[in-house]
Amino acid sequence: MSIFTGAAVAIVTPFNEDTTVNYEKLDKLIEYQIENGTDAIVICGTTGEASTLSHEEHIDVIKHCVKTVNKRIPVIAGTGSNSTDTAIYLSKEAEAAGADALLLVTPYYNKATQGGLYVHFKDTADAVNIPCILYNVPSRTGCNILPETAVKLARDVKNIVAIKEATGNISQIAKLIQLADGCIDVYSGNDDQIVPIMSLGGLGVISVLSNVAPKQTHDMCQACLDGDFKKAAKMQLEALPLINSLFSEVNPIPVKKALNLMGFEAGTLRKPLTEMEEAHAIILEENMKEYGIY
């Protein structure tokens, strides 16, 4: 059984001016997502600035999200690391906190071999009892999970059940889905490829766009799940200018700016991320207005 179908939001972590976590605003964002049909929440992922959270903060944010969501939709905790031991530690803590599943990014900087990736993910998944989603994002990690490796992991490790595919390589994703023959669920990791990936058999998206347009992103995925790809394609194309603005600078710089413009008070960013350049911010605001969310 799939962890979720449809749109999961890769939710931001709101910060106060002193960059401590703003739990009150996080609650507000979570409620907004659930009210607008989001199918799952991914906490402490890339968009959640997990790379600058201490281990204690990381675990506390997961615990808080699990408590706030209170089983209304699945909570997927980002617990990946470039250290296998750290990934195991965070994964065990997230499981103990009540997370429904884990999101495990490929080890960054080390650039493991395919054999190294296999051992890393197997050891991490074997240390817990909840489902695990592999996260393939070579643009950030310098490391690519090849289709053969993902399929082998899914067949060999019972709780490796899905992959978030953010390679941007449709040919590779098509090969993965063909080789897997249903043994691993595939989610788009790129908002501009939701419909193409779902047309090949993907089950949804782990989305940045959902932070600011949760209903629209859910509805786009639902149209795909209903087999109405003409409607879904229209929605995908209408969203492209906004999606492009949300990635005009490194994520989550633009999406935090967008949420602040919408009045959600997502706050500042942790260094080395800095505020959005004014020229990009102007275009983002225009595209938000054009899309009808601001």
Side-chain angles (χ1 to χ4, degrees), residues 93-131:
E93 291 291 330
E95 180 178 32
D100 297 290
L102 305 175
L103 182 68
L104 303 174
V105 71
T106 48
Y108 36 89
Y109 191 74
N110 327 52
K111 296 177 70 174
T113 64
Q114 294 301 303
L117 290 175
Y118 179 88
V119 170
H120 172 81
F121 287 125
K122 184 178 189 304
D123 286 358
T124 305
D126 281 344
V128 295
N129 297 300
I130 54 178

Side-chain angles (χ1 to χ4, degrees), residues 165 167-177 186 193 197 200:
E165 255 296 343
T167 59
N169 186 338
I170 291 292
S171 296
Q172 177 173 311
I173 296 166
K175 181 179 181 181
L176 167 64
I177 293 171
V186 177
Q193 294 183 339
I197 290 173
L200 290 167

Side-chain angles (χ1 to χ4, degrees), residues 22-252:
N22 189 328
Y23 288 101
E24 179 185 350
K25 300 306 179 186
L26 178 58
D27 287 346
K28 184 178 178 182
L29 290 172
I30 290 169
E31 294 303 330
Y32 174 67
Q33 291 296 318
I34 293 173
E35 289 166 8
N36 283 277
T38 288
D39 299 290
I41 291 179
V42 176
I43 190 78
C44 293
T46 304
T47 313
E49 295 178 75
S51 58
T52 56
L53 297 176
S54 70
H55 289 169
E56 293 76 17
E57 287 174 321
H58 197 132
I59 295 160
D60 285 347
V61 170
I62 292 169
K63 286 179 179 176
H64 187 89
C65 181
V66 168
K67 182 179 179 181
T68 300
V69 172
N70 194 25
K71 297 294 182 184
R72 287 176 287 174
I73 56 176
V75 173
I76 301 161
T79 56
S81 172
N82 67 331
S83 162
T84 304
D85 287 346
T86 301
I88 290 171
Y89 164 71
L90 290 173
S91 296
K92 285 181 174 180
E93 291 291 330
E95 180 178 32
D100 297 290
L102 305 175
L103 182 68
L104 303 174
V105 71
T106 48
Y108 36 89
Y109 191 74
N110 327 52
K111 296 177 70 174
T113 64
Q114 294 301 303
L117 290 175
Y118 179 88
V119 170
H120 172 81
F121 287 125
K122 184 178 189 304
D123 286 358
T124 305
D126 281 344
V128 295
N129 297 300
I130 54 178
C132 298
I133 303 173
L134 308 180
Y135 179 16
N136 196 22
V137 57
S139 64
R140 282 187 178 266
T141 66
C143 196
N144 184 19
I145 309 173
L146 295 179
E148 294 83 357
T149 304
V151 169
K152 181 172 172 57
L153 280 162
R155 288 180 175 155
D156 292 353
V157 186
K158 69 180 187 303
N159 59 330
I160 291 180
V161 299
I163 184 167
K164 175 185 176 182
E165 255 296 343
T167 59
N169 186 338
I170 291 292
S171 296
Q172 177 173 311
I173 296 166
K175 181 179 181 181
L176 167 64
I177 293 171
Q178 182 263 324
L179 287 177
D181 195 26
C183 78
I184 190 166
D185 294 337
V186 177
Y187 299 108
S188 175
N190 291 328
D191 285 311
D192 61 352
Q193 294 183 339
I194 297 170
V195 176
I197 290 173
M198 292 190 73
S199 74
L200 290 167
L203 295 184
V205 63
I206 295 177
S207 170
V208 175
L209 176 65
S210 281
N211 279 279
V212 296
K215 184 180 187 304
Q216 295 91 328
T217 313
H218 164 84
D219 289 351
M220 190 191 313
C221 291
Q222 191 59 54
C224 291
L225 293 168
D226 293 341
D228 192 347
F229 285 99
K230 183 175 181 180
K231 175 183 177 182
K234 183 174 184 290
M235 297 176 75
Q236 177 81 88
L237 295 174
E238 287 173 346
L240 277 182
L242 176 57
I243 293 167
N244 290 338
S245 281
L246 289 173
F247 291 92
S248 60
E249 292 185 25
V250 68
N251 178 48

